[in-house]
Structure formats: structure tokens, C-alpha cells
Amino acid sequence: MTNSLTPMGKLLRQARYVASIHNLRELPPDAGVEVAIAGRSNAGKSSLINRLCDQKALARTSKTPGRTRQLVFFEMDPLRKLVDLPGYGYAKVSGDLKTHWQGLIQSYLDHRLALKGLVVVMDIRHPLKDSDRELINWAGMRGLPQHLVLTKADKLKHGQLTQTLAKVRAQVDDAVGVQAFSATTGLGLEQLTEAMAHWYEPDKDLIAG
Ligand code: GDP
């Protein structure tokens, strides 16, 4: 299954690596639309980005030390960017978002005007861990639209998948999107692409609706 059929799918295929940002001065201009993608380490975030953009190695799926404090920017065009946030949740010390994401990442999330949506990637077998909830609650308070993606759905049988989806759905605000996904099979790719279109092409929604 590929993403080539919809305009949004085509756009996502144009995603190119732009930069890894280590401090606020390096951030690209705060313009256009940015969608950030977050998830616990190993949740499947890099695989999701690669599948979404139909590129095998756009986001690195191997872990490299030093990636914990940087923002990785990809752009489809100068006004539409995807921002890969560092994986969280591995720290031994439990703590709030600030413990994991001090400085750069916290200020980016708190202040970035171009940031119009947050995708939270979770392993469907371990959804809504404390660190996920912290992020989701924080984004809710900031009024940042969210889409939760339960990935590795190919690891569950259909019944378990439906049950997990319903459980997660029941625990988050109605405005938050929730879906199953598999980078391996492509399940949920269209739904995720559609959610991205909602953020990247808001004018289209107005025209359609
Ligand atoms: P990240 O740390 O969140 O970027 O996670 P990765 O994308 O590197 O994935 C972590 C591990 O899960 C890797 O071994 C991937 O091959 C595997 N993985 C990721 N997505 C899927 C999926 O949809 N299905 C299956 N079966 N494995 C996946």
C-alpha cells in the first residue's frame, strides 16, 4: 500500500530532511504549518515517519546517542514541516515532561506558533503510559490538536485491536483522534494521511465543509 493517490500522500512523499536543531537560534522561521511527532523510545515513531512519507530511511530507525535533545525537521515545502521529537520514557527517574524535555524542546512546544498538531505514537500493546498521558494532558491544556496512533497493530489479533482502540478512545478527549496503524502492513496509513491533511491543508476543510 502506498500513499501516492491523495494530494496529501504525494506531498508527504516529498518530505526531505532539513536540519537537526540543538538550540533555539537554529530554529527555522516560525511560519507555515508544523506537525510534531512524539512517542516513547521504541514505540515505532521512525518506522511510522518512514511509512507515512513512503521513504525507507527518512527518519533513522536505529538509535543514535545524542538524539535525545534535538528536534529533527523535515519539510514537504517551505511552509509545511514535520518535526521529529526525541523519544521519551526511558529515563529511570520518573518525572514530568520537563524532566525529559528541558530547554529547547519544552520551549519549542510551549511557544511555537507554526505548531498546529501533535501526533503521539504508542505501541498498541502498551498504550497510554504515564509519559504519554503527561504529554497528552499538557497538549490538551495548551489547546494543541492531537492524533494518537497505536502502532504495531499487526502484532495484535483483530479482536484485541478493536478492544484496545475502544479503551484508549474512552480515556481521551473526544476531540483527540485515535487510530490503529502498522508500519509493517500499512494498516491505517490512509487515516493518518487524512489527519495530516486536516492540519496541513485546513483551507480544504473549509471549502469541503
Ligand atoms: P522509535 O524508537 O519510536 O523510532 O521506533 P522504531 O521505528 O525504531 O521501531 C522500534 C522497533 O519496532 C523496530 O524494531 C521496528 O522494526 C519495530 N516496529 C516499528 N513499527 C512496527 C510495526 O508497525 N509493526 C511491527 N511488527 N514492528 C514495528
Side-chain angles (χ1 to χ4, degrees):
M1 189 188 288
T2 72
N3 234 350
S4 60
L5 299 177
T6 66
M8 191 66 229
K10 280 188 186 144
L11 193 76
L12 287 163
R13 291 180 78 164
Q14 292 171 30
R16 293 289 171 266
Y17 170 81
V18 184
S20 298
I21 304 297
H22 296 86
N23 65 61
L24 286 173
R25 289 189 311 276
E26 297 168 340
L27 281 173
D30 192 354
V33 178
E34 288 170 6
V35 172
I37 307 200
R40 287 166 57 81
S41 304
N42 228 34
K45 181 163 58 77
S46 309
S47 306
L48 175 144
I49 293 173
N50 290 340
R51 174 59 98 141
L52 180 67
C53 300
D54 198 18
Q55 298 179 43
K56 283 201 170 62
L58 187 62
R60 276 180 279 166
T61 43
S62 64
K63 308 296 164 296
T64 26
R67 285 209 59 200
T68 55
R69 292 267 182 268
Q70 68 183 18
L71 296 167
V72 181
F73 278 74
F74 303 99
E75 74 172 32
M76 277 72 82
D77 61 33
L79 291 178
R80 284 179 285 198
K81 298 188 179 71
L82 206 57
V83 184
D84 185 4
L85 302 180
Y88 53 82
Y90 259 2
K92 290 252 164 41
V93 278
S94 73
D96 59 13
L97 267 187
K98 287 201 164 107
T99 315
H100 293 294
W101 280 346
Q102 289 157 340
L104 169 69
I105 297 154
Q106 188 72 36
S107 354
Y108 171 81
L109 289 171
D110 281 344
H111 304 301
R112 188 76 165 173
L113 297 174
L115 181 60
K116 297 291 191 247
L118 176 68
V119 174
V120 180
V121 182
M122 297 179 281
D123 186 321
I124 195 162
R125 299 165 300 175
H126 316 286
L128 294 177
K129 295 273 188 195
D130 287 350
S131 45
D132 300 316
R133 288 179 194 274
E134 278 163 21
L135 176 61
I136 292 164
N137 290 341
W138 168 84
M141 286 187 315
R142 184 195 184 278
L144 183 63
Q146 299 174 68
H147 191 72
L148 312 187
V149 181
L150 307 178
T151 191
K152 307 191 191 177
D154 56 285
K155 299 263 194 189
L156 293 189
K157 297 211 170 79
H158 184 71
Q160 293 173 299
L161 185 155
T162 319
Q163 256 182 4
T164 308
L165 261 179
K167 261 192 203 161
V168 171
R169 175 74 276 165
Q171 290 184 62
V172 297
D173 194 275
D174 285 350
V176 174
V178 181
Q179 72 158 100
F181 184 84
S182 166
T184 305
T185 67
L187 176 108
L189 180 61
E190 280 176 22
Q191 198 179 347
L192 180 56
T193 303
E194 185 64 39
M196 302 303 258
H198 191 69
W199 287 326
Y200 284 119
E201 301 176 322
D203 298 347
K204 280 221 171 120
D205 286 353
L206 287 180
I207 295 162

